[in-house]
Amino acid sequence: MAAAPPPDPTVLIEDLVEEFLLRIPPDDPASLARAALVSRHWHRVITGPVFRRRFREFHRSPPLQGYISNIHNSIHFVPISSFRPRHADLDDVIAIHSSPGRVLLCRRPGKGLDVFPGKGLDVFLSVWDPITDELRDLPALPLPVVPGPCTCNWDAAVICAVGEGCNHIHCGFKVVCVGTSQRRDFSCVYSPEAGSCWSDLIFAASGEHTNSFETGTCVHAGSSLYFLSRFNHEIVKYDLLTDRMSTICFRVEPDAQINGMATVLIATEDGRLGVAKTSNSTLGCSTLHLWIRDHERWEERRPIELRMLLPDDALRDPQFPPEFFPDKPWLAGFAGTGAGVIFFKTRLGYFAVDLNSGRSKNIGGCLGWGCIIPYVSFCIPAPGAISTDEGPEAGLEG
């Protein structure tokens, strides 16, 4: 019997090249873009659909590329990886939510921005892709008309239109808005695939509510969106499969209440809802508390002293009482990448804390409001978008 022919060394080398390229860290897209300039073969591999799919499957969770800070009536993108957007600053908008690859912005042409508009003031949203710099304006929100000087209270989120299991390669999006008007909860959805218009308002069947939504607090966990309602210890759940709203009470002990910038919603890798909250003792110690909702019950994880996560000079000065606002480390946001990243605002700037490793990183000074909008996405060179005349951050796609 004739012996099998020896393997083609060229094929073996090509396979090794792809395996090497797959292991480039996803938070260093500039290196991936530079690698695409090495040769035509490397360019063909990196910009091909098979590599884009394998790269996402290999690294699983999209990396944190940066965060967006609201500064008055404008936004500023602060990179914490090698990714650089074409425009780091946009005027006359504020960021209220993000999902992998996209950021939801609120705008009002010709007027000062106000996320709690009163009667007669239209609210417009836009979906921005920082990688491609594409900005898609949405029609005015169909908020209920409120009589007199009352206001309509709302929050919104942008999500992938495909849902769980999507690899986020050229997928669509939809925007979900929830709110309260005259003590009645309502929701509506925008989908480009459904005629590029908002759906009719759907009012919750349950009784009256006094929810006080604050934009920028939404988290996506499993098949639901969760919105934080300040001051009444409730979390509003929007089921993406049934389009129904319900409320979840978060009142597990007297001091575990939803209050101001000491609380953010989080999500676990397996799609469960969680709550993170900070507390300060009279001895000057700051503690991070985590609760995970499992089988309709809140289970508290082991409290973590913030001195184990943050440097000493970022914590509150013990000579001041716990109520001294400027020196408290405040929770500023959550990014659902990997096991999750929690952001703190301290007197030294923003810190990102990886919940899996416990490692913290100073990611920049505190600009604008206390809360930030994290941005996570894969950035991979797009076909035909890279030439030798372009910089390392050019020609990337989500």
Side-chain angles (χ1 to χ4, degrees), residues 301-342:
R301 301 293 175 86
R302 181 176 59 87
I304 305 173
E305 294 295 330
L306 290 187
R307 59 184 176 83
M308 306 296 294
L309 303 177
L310 303 174
D312 291 339
D313 48 357
L315 301 176
R316 179 177 59 82
D317 193 326
Q319 68 176 313
F320 294 106
E323 294 76 19
F324 189 71
F325 178 83
D327 282 336
K328 282 184 179 179
W330 293 101
L331 287 167
F334 171 79
T337 177
V341 176
I342 289 183

Side-chain angles (χ1 to χ4, degrees), residues 16 86 114-115 120 164 169 183 203 206 227 257 273 283 340 350 359 382 389 393:
L16 290 175
R86 294 190 180 118
D114 181 1
V115 295
E164 294 186 70
I169 301 178
R183 302 176 68 88
F203 286 88
S206 55
F227 298 85
Q257 301 172 353
L273 172 68
L283 299 178
Y350 288 115
R359 295 178 180 177
D389 298 327
E393 69 279 353

Side-chain angles (χ1 to χ4, degrees), residues 24-34 55 63 65 81-83 379 396:
I24 292 179
D27 59 352
D28 188 17
S31 292
L32 204 58
R34 292 188 186 98
F55 192 80
Q65 302 290 357
S81 71
S82 61
F83 167 68
C379 302
L396 298 173

Side-chain angles (χ1 to χ4, degrees), residues 37-106:
L37 300 176
V38 170
S39 68
R40 290 183 178 179
H41 171 63
W42 284 33
H43 181 278
R44 185 171 60 253
V45 170
I46 293 175
T47 60
V50 174
F51 179 83
R52 294 201 299 274
R53 175 182 56 80
R54 290 194 64 197
F55 192 80
R56 285 167 169 79
E57 292 175 350
F58 184 84
H59 295 285
R60 299 181 57 190
S61 183
L64 182 65
Q65 302 290 357
Y67 65 90
I68 299 166
S69 181
N70 290 306
I71 308 173
H72 302 298
N73 291 338
S74 64
I75 63 171
H76 177 64
F77 187 101
V78 181
I80 58 178
S81 71
S82 61
F83 167 68
R84 299 293 185 274
R86 294 190 180 118
H87 295 94
D89 300 277
L90 294 176
D91 296 327
D92 300 323
V93 293
I94 57 173
I96 60 177
H97 186 254
S98 71
S99 63
R102 299 181 178 95
V103 180
L104 185 63
L105 307 175
C106 177

Side-chain angles (χ1 to χ4, degrees), residues 261-264 276-278 288 329-333 342-345 370-371:
M261 293 171 60
T263 308
V264 296
K277 181 183 180 298
T278 57
L288 174 66
W330 293 101
L331 287 167
I342 289 183
F343 297 86
F344 290 90
K345 180 178 181 180
C371 292

Side-chain angles (χ1 to χ4, degrees), residues 104-166:
L104 185 63
L105 307 175
C106 177
R107 74 189 195 279
R108 184 180 301 142
K111 297 180 181 292
L113 292 170
D114 181 1
V115 295
F116 300 109
K119 180 182 178 182
L121 298 179
D122 290 330
V123 176
F124 297 88
L125 302 178
S126 299
V127 177
W128 176 45
D129 186 333
I131 297 176
T132 64
D133 206 35
E134 179 184 1
L135 186 67
R136 178 160 185 163
D137 294 336
L138 277 56
L141 269 173
L143 298 177
V145 177
V146 181
C150 300
T151 60
C152 178
N153 188 260
W154 61 273
D155 194 6
V158 58
I159 58 173
C160 168
V162 177
E164 294 186 70
C166 180

